[in-house]
Amino acid sequence: SLNYDIGDSRHWEYVFAGQDLHIHYTADEARHKKTVLALLGDSCPDELFLDLPMSWCLPLKISRDDYDRKYPTGKRSRRYKYTILEDFCRYLNPDGMVRKLYVYSNLACTDISYTICYFADRSDHLESRFFHQHTGKIIEKFSEGRDDFLLEHHYYAFRIESENSRLMIFTEGKRTDELYRREEDANYIRSYYKNRSDRKTFKESRFGPEGRILESPKILLPNPRPIEAIIETFERNPNVPANSDIAMVTFNLATDEIEIEYHVDDNSIFGSTRHFTKPPNWWDETQVLNWSPELHSSFEANYLTKPKSELELYEMLIGLMKMESKTRDMTRMVEKEIRHILKVRNREEEKLELVRTYVQADRDQALREVRLKLKAQGKAARYLSKQDILRDYLEPFMHRVGLDEITNKKQAVRETKIIENSQKMYHEQFTTLSSAEVQEYKSYLLQHMFIAHILEQRLVNLKEYAPFKYQELYDRMLKDKRLEPFLI
């Protein structure tokens, strides 16, 4: 029969050296032994060494290429219920795809429902792409770091009627206009905002045949869509009365009307409204806009509110018309921004580049040369930082003009002190000097000022050009094995 007494060396190999497994301590004996160890200054028991035999397996050696490949052929395919999953090693596919998921609608895995591709090391920060086989819907997800702050892009691949149907989601709090979501269709553009200073939360621009094109041709796209209406909504401002705080404003360009809805007061169940009609020829800047009571109608939720005067209503209408003009221009700018983002995405897909990482350093010769050059530049910079006096490449010129004695900053300071001392002596002895001595002093001062000026130019040139000369010399010595031992 099998004996489970591992302390019996006749049946079990003796592994734990110095430990008698047959000795069992009671709770009181264990407590007493712990107290004795504490009094002796040794709170830890004797170390128990695990004496195990060496492994009989040979060491496993994996080359760097095999390790980076991850799979024998660089690809692995696994099949599940309704699903086939393919994994790829990094840099195997030119588009950076590392995983592809096929989801089918039948068990035979013949009718594809949708696919999801996962990417890595892409310069456009694309992480995944979802493609629905039947609807043609594509969902692209990006990581943070793009210049346009795009996180998600939803659009359709082969639906002609939905050519302009797309959804863009941006990183919150990164854009200057605080935009985080934008929806586009052939008939509208919807923008969603958060935490704006003007408390705007939503804007919708509607397009249609009844709209108008009143913007400057400079900001219009080819074949622009006429704008029928623009709707904007705003958050509640607690510092403004509810009957003066705009909740929604609608600019109806087809009928030349402006509708305003105000926020609901805490003591009311509905808010105030106001309706404006633009005067005739309002778009003609040469015409004077005339006010009439027929251009305005309103409903006040609080009947005790004092009605506005005609002058206030006229100024409000002028302000709303300026606001409408600004929102129209912003709508055209949004159209241009969307087209610019699409153009950038097409360019990124056509000229796709993968981000180079340390994995490619051993294979990419250009990357190795760049790293060696950066390393050499760092070493040269450390060498130059330890030098007090750099080599002067203007020495032949200074020798020709007779200023070869000045070679460092200490002599520059000395020349400055000479000029200061001579000026001080001149002011002290000005009354006792003759005209000849004054002329001699001026010549002496002019010479030293010229020397100081030349020295200043030399120091500037040294700081600007000497590091490049040293770097060039260092690179040349680094490439020549005969000169390499002389490198510091």
Side-chain angles (χ1 to χ4, degrees):
S1 63
L2 186 61
N3 184 7
Y4 291 97
D5 186 6
I6 61 175
D8 189 355
S9 59
R10 294 176 301 175
H11 301 89
W12 294 88
E13 185 177 357
Y14 201 68
V15 175
F16 299 98
Q19 182 181 14
D20 192 350
L21 300 179
H22 291 284
I23 300 177
H24 300 283
Y25 296 99
T26 62
D28 295 337
E29 292 175 346
R31 193 180 304 108
H32 176 70
K33 186 176 181 181
K34 186 177 181 180
T35 304
V36 172
L37 291 174
L39 293 175
L40 295 176
D42 187 5
S43 59
C44 298
D46 296 337
E47 294 185 1
L48 303 178
F49 297 95
L50 188 62
D51 188 11
L52 292 178
M54 295 182 62
S55 175
W56 55 84
C57 299
L58 295 176
L60 182 62
K61 296 182 180 180
I62 303 177
S63 64
R64 184 68 183 182
D65 294 338
D66 294 338
Y67 181 80
D68 294 338
R69 196 180 298 117
K70 296 177 66 174
Y71 315 111
T73 59
K75 173 184 175 181
R76 180 181 65 178
S77 180
R78 289 172 290 178
R79 182 166 179 172
Y80 302 94
K81 187 176 181 180
Y82 296 102
T83 305
I84 294 179
L85 180 63
E86 294 181 350
D87 292 315
F88 306 90
C89 69
R90 294 173 64 181
Y91 305 106
L92 178 66
N93 297 315
D95 58 351
M97 184 172 59
V98 295
R99 174 172 290 182
K100 189 170 185 179
L101 177 67
Y102 299 88
V103 178
Y104 298 86
S105 57
N106 57 347
L107 287 175
C109 294
T110 57
D111 185 13
I112 298 179
S113 178
Y114 62 87
T115 60
I116 304 178
C117 300
Y118 298 90
F119 304 90
D121 306 308
R122 286 178 61 116
S123 58
D124 58 357
H125 298 271
L126 180 64
E127 288 186 337
S128 65
R129 179 184 287 124
F130 169 89
F131 176 68
H132 199 280
Q133 189 70 23
H134 303 294
T135 62
K137 185 175 183 179
I138 298 177
I139 301 177
E140 295 179 341
K141 295 184 178 181
F142 304 86
S143 61
E144 294 187 2
R146 289 181 58 89
D147 295 337
D148 52 12
F149 307 107
L150 185 64
L151 283 182
E152 293 186 21
H153 185 199
H154 302 222
Y155 60 98
Y156 293 89
F158 43 76
R159 287 175 56 182
I160 300 177
E161 66 275 9
S162 301
E163 181 181 358
N164 295 326
S165 298
R166 65 186 71 257
L167 167 64
M168 295 182 180
I169 299 177
F170 302 90
T171 307
E172 294 185 10
K174 297 296 183 180
R175 291 175 57 101
T176 56
D177 57 354
E178 301 297 341
L179 177 73
Y180 72 94
R181 181 186 178 96
R182 177 177 288 156
E183 301 173 2
E184 184 191 14
D185 203 322
N187 300 323
Y188 64 83
I189 294 179
R190 295 171 182 167
S191 303
Y192 300 83
Y193 306 92
K194 274 187 180 180
N195 303 324
R196 280 178 62 106
S197 58
D198 58 357
R199 298 182 179 272
K200 184 191 296 185
T201 58
F202 173 76
K203 177 182 177 181
E204 179 180 359
S205 301
R206 297 177 182 175
F207 306 95
E210 298 180 359
R212 297 181 181 179
I213 301 176
L214 303 173
E215 297 76 32
S216 173
K218 296 181 180 180
I219 61 175
L220 291 176
L221 292 172
N223 301 322
R225 295 175 289 179
I227 302 176
E228 286 188 350
I230 299 177
I231 302 174
E232 293 183 346
T233 61
F234 301 86
E235 289 180 334
R236 178 75 173 92
N237 188 357
N239 300 323
V240 179
N243 59 351
S244 300
D245 190 11
I246 298 177
M248 183 174 67
V249 56
T250 303
F251 302 101
N252 197 329
L253 277 69
T255 59
D256 289 339
E257 296 177 345
I258 302 176
E259 297 181 2
I260 301 176
E261 295 182 9
Y262 295 94
H263 283 280
V264 181
D265 196 3
D266 296 337
N267 300 324
S268 303
I269 59 175
F270 45 79
S272 303
T273 60
R274 200 175 297 275
H275 178 85
F276 288 95
T277 302
K278 299 177 188 176
N281 298 329
W282 62 270
W283 48 268
D284 191 355
E285 297 180 356
T286 61
Q287 298 290 332
V288 178
L289 301 181
N290 297 321
W291 172 260
S292 63
E294 291 80 9
L295 300 179
H296 170 261
S297 62
S298 64
F299 168 77
E300 293 290 346
N302 186 0
Y303 66 93
L304 298 177
T305 303
K306 181 181 178 181
K308 295 183 179 296
S309 63
E310 292 189 357
L311 178 60
E312 292 176 338
L313 294 175
Y314 177 77
E315 292 177 349
M316 184 182 295
L317 176 60
I318 297 299
L320 290 172
M321 291 172 61
K322 292 181 180 179
M323 183 178 177
E324 176 189 324
S325 177
K326 185 178 179 180
T327 54
R328 290 201 316 267
D329 294 343
M330 291 302 299
T331 299
R332 299 305 182 184
M333 297 302 294
V334 167
E335 287 184 310
K336 295 183 70 174
E337 182 187 3
I338 293 175
R339 298 301 171 263
H340 174 70
I341 293 176
L342 297 179
K343 187 182 297 184
V344 171
R345 286 293 301 127
N346 291 333
R347 192 184 310 121
E348 290 173 347
E349 291 295 336
E350 292 175 359
K351 299 180 180 180
L352 179 61
E353 294 182 0
L354 299 181
V355 179
R356 295 180 177 181
T357 61
Y358 66 93
V359 179
Q360 294 177 306
D362 296 334
R363 301 187 181 91
D364 196 331
Q365 185 64 24
L367 185 59
R368 286 175 56 86
E369 292 180 358
V370 170
R371 291 194 172 186
L372 290 175
K373 186 175 181 180
L374 292 176
K375 185 177 180 180
Q377 290 177 354
K379 190 173 182 179
R382 291 192 298 270
Y383 169 73
L384 294 176
S385 63
K386 299 178 181 179
Q387 304 301 313
D388 296 332
I389 302 175
L390 299 178
R391 181 180 175 183
D392 189 2
Y393 290 93
L394 299 177
E395 185 175 355
F397 168 75
M398 302 303 296
H399 180 72
R400 287 198 303 269
V401 297
L403 301 177
D404 52 339
E405 297 180 357
I406 303 175
T407 57
N408 54 34
K409 295 182 179 180
K410 294 182 180 180
Q411 293 179 352
V413 175
R414 186 178 63 185
E415 289 294 327
T416 305
K417 290 183 178 180
I418 290 175
I419 295 175
E420 293 177 355
N421 294 334
S422 61
Q423 289 179 344
K424 184 178 180 181
M425 292 177 60
Y426 174 76
H427 288 293
E428 291 177 353
Q429 303 176 4
F430 176 74
T431 56
T432 60
L433 294 177
S434 62
S435 59
E437 291 176 342
V438 172
Q439 188 65 27
E440 182 181 357
Y441 164 75
K442 290 182 179 180
S443 301
Y444 176 81
L445 183 62
L446 183 62
Q447 179 182 2
H448 284 278
M449 290 180 65
F450 176 71
I451 292 174
H453 175 70
I454 292 296
L455 182 59
E456 182 181 356
Q457 296 296 326
R458 290 179 62 192
L459 294 177
V460 172
N461 292 333
L462 280 174
K463 292 180 180 179
E464 184 176 359
Y465 295 107
F468 297 100
K469 295 292 184 179
Y470 271 103
Q471 182 61 48
E472 183 180 356
L473 177 62
Y474 184 85
D475 294 340
R476 187 172 299 177
M477 295 178 66
L478 188 64
K479 294 179 181 179
D480 195 339
K481 294 184 178 180
R482 298 172 299 175
L483 302 177
E484 190 174 359
F486 297 97
L487 291 175
I488 298 177

